[in-house]
Coordinates of all heavy atoms in Angstrom, one line a residue:
L1 N -138.2 17.7 -37.7 CA -137.3 18.8 -37.5 C -136.6 19.1 -38.8 O -136.0 20.2 -38.9 CB -136.2 18.4 -36.5 CG -136.7 18.3 -35.0 CD1 -135.5 18.0 -34.1 CD2 -137.3 19.7 -34.6
S2 N -136.6 18.3 -39.8 CA -135.7 18.6 -41.0 C -136.0 19.9 -41.7 O -135.2 20.7 -41.9 CB -135.9 17.5 -42.1 OG -135.3 16.2 -41.6
A3 N -137.3 20.2 -41.9 CA -137.7 21.5 -42.5 C -137.4 22.6 -41.6 O -137.0 23.7 -42.0 CB -139.2 21.5 -42.8
R4 N -137.5 22.4 -40.3 CA -137.3 23.5 -39.3 C -135.8 23.9 -39.2 O -135.5 25.1 -39.1 CB -137.8 23.1 -38.0 CG -137.8 24.2 -36.9 CD -138.4 23.7 -35.6 NE -138.3 24.8 -34.6 CZ -139.2 25.8 -34.5 NH1 -140.2 25.8 -35.3 NH2 -139.1 26.7 -33.5
V5 N -134.9 22.9 -39.3 CA -133.5 23.2 -39.1 C -132.7 23.3 -40.4 O -131.5 23.4 -40.5 CB -132.8 22.1 -38.2 CG1 -133.5 22.2 -36.8 CG2 -132.9 20.7 -38.8
H6 N -133.5 23.1 -41.5 CA -132.9 23.3 -42.9 C -131.8 22.3 -43.3 O -130.9 22.6 -44.0 CB -132.4 24.7 -43.1 CG -133.4 25.7 -42.7 ND1 -134.6 25.9 -43.4 CD2 -133.5 26.6 -41.6 CE1 -135.3 26.9 -42.8 NE2 -134.6 27.3 -41.7
F7 N -131.9 21.0 -42.8 CA -131.1 20.0 -43.3 C -131.7 18.7 -42.9 O -132.6 18.6 -42.1 CB -129.6 20.1 -42.8 CG -129.3 19.6 -41.5 CD1 -128.6 18.5 -41.2 CD2 -129.8 20.3 -40.3 CE1 -128.3 18.0 -40.0 CE2 -129.5 19.8 -39.1 CZ -128.8 18.7 -38.9
N8 N -131.2 17.6 -43.5 CA -131.8 16.3 -43.1 C -131.4 15.9 -41.7 O -130.3 15.5 -41.4 CB -131.2 15.2 -44.1 CG -131.9 13.8 -43.9 OD1 -132.6 13.6 -42.9 ND2 -131.6 12.9 -44.8
A9 N -132.4 16.0 -40.8 CA -132.2 15.9 -39.4 C -131.9 14.4 -39.0 O -131.4 14.1 -37.9 CB -133.4 16.4 -38.6
V10 N -132.1 13.5 -40.0 CA -131.7 12.1 -39.7 C -130.2 12.0 -39.4 O -129.7 11.1 -38.7 CB -132.1 11.2 -40.9 CG1 -131.6 9.8 -40.7 CG2 -133.6 11.2 -41.0
L11 N -129.4 12.9 -40.0 CA -128.0 12.9 -39.8 C -127.7 13.2 -38.3 O -126.6 12.8 -37.8 CB -127.3 14.0 -40.6 CG -127.4 13.8 -42.1 CD1 -126.8 15.0 -42.9 CD2 -126.6 12.5 -42.5
L12 N -128.6 13.8 -37.6 CA -128.4 13.9 -36.1 C -128.3 12.6 -35.4 O -127.6 12.4 -34.4 CB -129.5 14.8 -35.5 CG -129.6 16.2 -35.9 CD1 -130.8 16.9 -35.3 CD2 -128.3 17.0 -35.5
L13 N -129.0 11.6 -36.0 CA -129.0 10.2 -35.4 C -127.6 9.6 -35.5 O -127.1 9.0 -34.6 CB -130.0 9.3 -36.1 CG -131.5 9.6 -35.8 CD1 -132.4 8.7 -36.6 CD2 -131.8 9.5 -34.3
V14 N -127.0 9.8 -36.7 CA -125.7 9.2 -36.9 C -124.7 10.0 -36.0 O -123.8 9.3 -35.4 CB -125.3 9.4 -38.4 CG1 -123.8 8.9 -38.6 CG2 -126.2 8.7 -39.3
Y15 N -124.8 11.3 -36.0 CA -123.9 12.1 -35.1 C -124.1 11.7 -33.7 O -123.1 11.5 -32.9 CB -124.2 13.6 -35.3 CG -123.6 14.5 -34.3 CD1 -122.2 14.7 -34.3 CD2 -124.3 15.2 -33.4 CE1 -121.6 15.5 -33.4 CE2 -123.8 16.0 -32.5 CZ -122.4 16.2 -32.5 OH -121.8 17.0 -31.6
G16 N -125.3 11.6 -33.2 CA -125.6 11.2 -31.9 C -125.1 9.8 -31.5 O -124.6 9.6 -30.4
S17 N -125.3 8.9 -32.4 CA -124.8 7.5 -32.2 C -123.3 7.5 -32.0 O -122.7 6.8 -31.2 CB -125.2 6.6 -33.4 OG -126.6 6.5 -33.5
A18 N -122.6 8.3 -32.8 CA -121.1 8.4 -32.6 C -120.8 9.0 -31.3 O -119.8 8.5 -30.6 CB -120.5 9.3 -33.7
L19 N -121.5 10.0 -30.8 CA -121.2 10.6 -29.5 C -121.5 9.5 -28.4 O -120.6 9.4 -27.5 CB -122.2 11.8 -29.2 CG -121.9 13.1 -29.8 CD1 -122.9 14.1 -29.5 CD2 -120.5 13.6 -29.3
M20 N -122.5 8.8 -28.5 CA -122.9 7.8 -27.5 C -121.8 6.7 -27.5 O -121.4 6.2 -26.4 CB -124.2 7.2 -27.8 CG -125.4 8.2 -27.6 SD -127.0 7.5 -28.1 CE -127.3 6.4 -26.8
F21 N -121.3 6.3 -28.7 CA -120.3 5.3 -28.8 C -119.0 5.7 -28.0 O -118.5 4.9 -27.2 CB -119.9 5.0 -30.2 CG -118.8 4.0 -30.4 CD1 -119.1 2.7 -30.3 CD2 -117.5 4.4 -30.7 CE1 -118.0 1.7 -30.4 CE2 -116.5 3.5 -30.9 CZ -116.8 2.2 -30.7
V22 N -118.6 6.9 -28.1 CA -117.4 7.4 -27.5 C -117.6 7.6 -26.0 O -116.8 7.1 -25.2 CB -117.0 8.8 -28.1 CG1 -115.8 9.4 -27.3 CG2 -116.5 8.5 -29.6
F23 N -118.7 8.3 -25.6 CA -118.9 8.7 -24.2 C -119.2 7.5 -23.3 O -118.8 7.6 -22.1 CB -120.0 9.7 -24.1 CG -119.5 11.1 -24.3 CD1 -119.5 11.7 -25.6 CD2 -119.0 11.9 -23.3 CE1 -119.0 13.0 -25.8 CE2 -118.6 13.2 -23.5 CZ -118.6 13.7 -24.8
R24 N -119.7 6.4 -23.8 CA -120.0 5.3 -22.9 C -118.8 4.6 -22.4 O -118.8 3.9 -21.4 CB -120.9 4.3 -23.7 CG -122.4 4.7 -23.7 CD -123.3 3.8 -24.3 NE -124.7 4.2 -24.2 CZ -125.8 3.6 -24.7 NH1 -125.6 2.5 -25.5 NH2 -127.0 4.1 -24.5
F25 N -117.7 4.8 -23.1 CA -116.4 4.3 -22.6 C -115.9 5.0 -21.3 O -115.0 4.5 -20.6 CB -115.3 4.3 -23.7 CG -115.5 3.3 -24.7 CD1 -116.3 3.5 -25.8 CD2 -114.9 2.0 -24.6 CE1 -116.4 2.5 -26.8 CE2 -115.0 1.1 -25.5 CZ -115.8 1.3 -26.6
F26 N -116.5 6.2 -21.0 CA -116.1 7.0 -19.9 C -117.0 6.9 -18.7 O -116.9 7.6 -17.7 CB -115.9 8.5 -20.3 CG -114.8 8.7 -21.3 CD1 -115.2 8.8 -22.6 CD2 -113.5 8.8 -21.0 CE1 -114.2 9.0 -23.6 CE2 -112.5 9.0 -21.9 CZ -112.9 9.1 -23.3
A27 N -118.0 6.0 -18.8 CA -119.1 5.9 -17.8 C -118.5 5.4 -16.5 O -118.9 5.9 -15.4 CB -120.2 5.1 -18.3
G28 N -117.6 4.5 -16.5 CA -117.0 3.9 -15.3 C -116.4 4.9 -14.4 O -116.8 5.1 -13.2
P29 N -115.4 5.7 -14.9 CA -114.8 6.8 -14.1 C -115.8 7.8 -13.6 O -115.7 8.3 -12.5 CB -113.8 7.4 -15.0 CG -113.4 6.3 -16.0 CD -114.7 5.5 -16.2
L30 N -116.8 8.2 -14.5 CA -117.8 9.2 -14.1 C -118.7 8.6 -12.9 O -119.0 9.4 -12.0 CB -118.6 9.6 -15.3 CG -117.9 10.5 -16.3 CD1 -118.8 10.6 -17.5 CD2 -117.6 11.9 -15.7
A31 N -119.1 7.4 -13.1 CA -119.9 6.8 -12.1 C -119.2 6.7 -10.7 O -119.7 6.8 -9.7 CB -120.4 5.4 -12.5
H32 N -117.8 6.4 -10.8 CA -117.0 6.3 -9.6 C -116.9 7.6 -8.9 O -116.9 7.7 -7.7 CB -115.6 5.7 -10.0 CG -114.7 5.6 -8.8 ND1 -114.9 4.6 -7.9 CD2 -113.7 6.4 -8.4 CE1 -113.9 4.8 -6.9 NE2 -113.2 5.8 -7.3
K33 N -116.8 8.7 -9.7 CA -116.6 10.0 -9.2 C -117.9 10.6 -8.6 O -118.0 11.2 -7.5 CB -116.1 11.0 -10.2 CG -115.7 12.4 -9.7 CD -115.1 13.2 -10.8 CE -114.7 14.6 -10.3 NZ -113.7 14.5 -9.3
L34 N -119.0 10.4 -9.4 CA -120.3 11.0 -9.0 C -121.2 10.0 -8.3 O -122.1 10.5 -7.6 CB -121.1 11.4 -10.3 CG -120.4 12.6 -11.1 CD1 -121.2 12.7 -12.4 CD2 -120.5 13.9 -10.3
S35 N -121.0 8.7 -8.4 CA -121.9 7.6 -8.1 C -122.8 7.4 -9.3 O -123.1 8.4 -10.0 CB -122.7 7.8 -6.8 OG -124.0 8.4 -7.1
P36 N -123.3 6.2 -9.5 CA -124.2 5.9 -10.7 C -125.4 6.8 -10.6 O -125.9 7.2 -11.6 CB -124.5 4.4 -10.5 CG -123.3 3.9 -9.9 CD -122.8 4.9 -8.9
I37 N -126.0 7.0 -9.4 CA -127.2 7.8 -9.3 C -126.9 9.3 -9.6 O -127.7 9.9 -10.3 CB -127.7 7.8 -7.8 CG1 -127.9 6.3 -7.4 CG2 -129.1 8.5 -7.8 CD1 -128.9 5.5 -8.2
G38 N -125.7 9.8 -9.2 CA -125.3 11.1 -9.6 C -125.2 11.3 -11.0 O -125.5 12.3 -11.6
L39 N -124.6 10.2 -11.7 CA -124.4 10.3 -13.1 C -125.8 10.3 -13.8 O -126.0 11.1 -14.8 CB -123.7 9.0 -13.6 CG -123.4 8.8 -15.1 CD1 -122.7 10.0 -15.7 CD2 -122.7 7.5 -15.4
L40 N -126.7 9.6 -13.3 CA -128.1 9.6 -13.9 C -128.8 11.0 -13.7 O -129.5 11.4 -14.5 CB -128.9 8.5 -13.3 CG -128.6 7.1 -13.8 CD1 -129.3 6.0 -13.0 CD2 -129.0 6.9 -15.3
W41 N -128.5 11.6 -12.5 CA -129.1 12.9 -12.2 C -128.6 13.9 -13.3 O -129.4 14.7 -13.9 CB -128.7 13.4 -10.8 CG -129.4 14.6 -10.4 CD1 -130.6 14.7 -9.8 CD2 -128.9 16.0 -10.6 NE1 -130.9 16.1 -9.6 CE2 -129.9 16.8 -10.0 CE3 -127.8 16.5 -11.1 CZ2 -129.8 18.2 -10.0 CZ3 -127.6 17.9 -11.2 CH2 -128.6 18.8 -10.6
F42 N -127.3 14.0 -13.5 CA -126.7 14.9 -14.5 C -127.2 14.5 -15.9 O -127.5 15.4 -16.7 CB -125.2 14.9 -14.4 CG -124.7 15.8 -13.3 CD1 -124.2 15.2 -12.2 CD2 -124.7 17.2 -13.4 CE1 -123.7 16.0 -11.2 CE2 -124.2 18.0 -12.4 CZ -123.7 17.4 -11.3
S43 N -127.4 13.2 -16.2 CA -127.8 12.8 -17.5 C -129.2 13.3 -17.7 O -129.5 13.8 -18.8 CB -127.8 11.3 -17.5 OG -126.5 10.8 -17.5
A44 N -130.1 13.2 -16.7 CA -131.5 13.6 -16.9 C -131.6 15.1 -17.1 O -132.3 15.7 -17.9 CB -132.3 13.2 -15.7
L45 N -130.7 15.9 -16.3 CA -130.7 17.3 -16.5 C -130.3 17.7 -17.9 O -130.9 18.6 -18.5 CB -129.7 17.9 -15.4 CG -129.6 19.4 -15.4 CD1 -130.9 20.1 -15.0 CD2 -128.4 19.9 -14.5
L46 N -129.2 17.1 -18.4 CA -128.7 17.5 -19.7 C -129.7 17.1 -20.8 O -129.9 17.8 -21.8 CB -127.3 16.8 -19.9 CG -126.1 17.4 -19.2 CD1 -124.9 16.5 -19.4 CD2 -125.9 18.8 -19.6

């Protein structure tokens, strides 16, 4: 993807790792609201 998006796409990994680090702390409340299966359904869709 680097040539296609015109920057070093490896930086997306660092950015994505930061997102995952933050959002995993909210999994408990989301799983309680949606159910763990519901959380996985929305995860697959996104």
Side-chain angles (χ1 to χ4, degrees):
L1 292 180
S2 291
R4 185 176 179 86
V5 300
H6 308 294
F7 81 110
N8 186 350
V10 173
L11 293 174
L12 292 176
L13 290 177
V14 177
Y15 170 68
S17 295
L19 281 178
M20 294 173 75
F21 177 78
V22 172
F23 275 88
R24 281 181 174 176
F25 283 89
F26 298 95
L30 286 172
H32 180 73
K33 186 175 182 63
L34 295 171
S35 91
I37 308 296
L39 177 59
L40 286 169
W41 187 90
F42 279 104
S43 294
L45 180 65
L46 289 174

